Structure formats: C-alpha cells, structure tokens
Amino acid sequence: MLKQGKSSTGTQRWQCKTCKKKTTLTPNRKQSITYNQKRSDVLHMFTKLLLSRTPITRTCEILEVGRETYYGKLEFIYRRCMEFWERHEDKPLNSWVLLF
C-alpha cells in the first residue's frame, strides 16, 4: 500500500501497489466527531435545544430540518452518549458495585 494524500475529511488515502485501487479508512473519533453526517453544522445547536427541552416541531423550525433529520441526529447523539458511558462510566461503576 502506498500513501496517496488525505481525503476531504482529513483521513489518510491509500493505493494498492498491484491493482492501483484507492481507498480511504474511516476516521477515528479524534479525527472526526461528525463523520458521515450530512448536516453536521446543526449538531451543536440541536444538542442545546434538546437539553433545553425544546419541542420537536420548534426545533425543526429553528434548525430548518425535517423530522427525519431530527430523529437521525437524536439517534447519533444517543450512540455517542452510550459510547462515552461504556468508555468512561461503565468500568468504574462496575468496580464500585463489587465493593459492596
């Protein structure tokens, strides 16, 4: 494999020496938190509106997105929260419970 620069998302591109096909690896968490998100620009405002308990219809109006995008962002944030919980909270919590 040969390095072939970087993609638009900032990940390394590679080219096969034999078949000359190019490929890009998916970025890790540090490289891109919004990987594969079409409307990543609304993610921070969406989270603020979600935490302030703004109704769904009003959030869609403010962000100018449809309900499908709303629920897609909700699922995205849920997955990120679960990953954070598994990485940082699950192990300390389990070790603390075993003490009692």
Side-chain angles (χ1 to χ4, degrees):
M1 297 293 272
L2 300 170
K3 287 185 178 182
Q4 290 291 311
K6 301 248 179 184
S7 69
S8 60
T9 59
T11 58
Q12 185 66 50
R13 296 180 110 187
W14 298 91
Q15 182 180 24
C16 180
K17 290 179 182 178
T18 55
C19 65
K20 305 294 183 194
K21 286 186 179 180
K22 293 183 181 180
T23 186
T24 304
L25 302 176
T26 55
N28 60 20
R29 184 79 55 231
K30 290 181 181 178
Q31 289 175 328
S32 177
I33 191 169
T34 57
Y35 178 74
N36 210 12
Q37 293 285 307
K38 292 178 183 176
R39 292 287 312 267
S40 62
D41 57 318
V42 300
L43 199 57
H44 295 290
M45 180 59 100
F46 175 81
T47 306
K48 286 180 183 179
L49 294 170
L50 185 66
L51 293 175
S52 65
R53 301 185 334 189
T54 306
I56 296 170
T57 308
R58 182 69 183 132
T59 302
C60 291
E61 289 173 2
I62 293 170
L63 299 176
E64 298 177 352
V65 297
R67 290 177 190 257
E68 186 174 333
T69 303
Y70 177 90
Y71 287 110
K73 298 294 178 196
L74 186 62
E75 181 69 26
F76 178 78
I77 290 175
Y78 172 75
R79 279 186 275 132
R80 291 294 184 255
C81 290
M82 292 306 294
E83 288 173 8
F84 178 85
W85 183 77
E86 288 173 358
R87 193 171 38 234
H88 297 288
E89 302 291 331
D90 193 30
K91 292 175 186 173
L93 186 62
N94 285 340
S95 64
W96 183 74
V97 170
L98 293 176
L99 295 175
F100 291 100

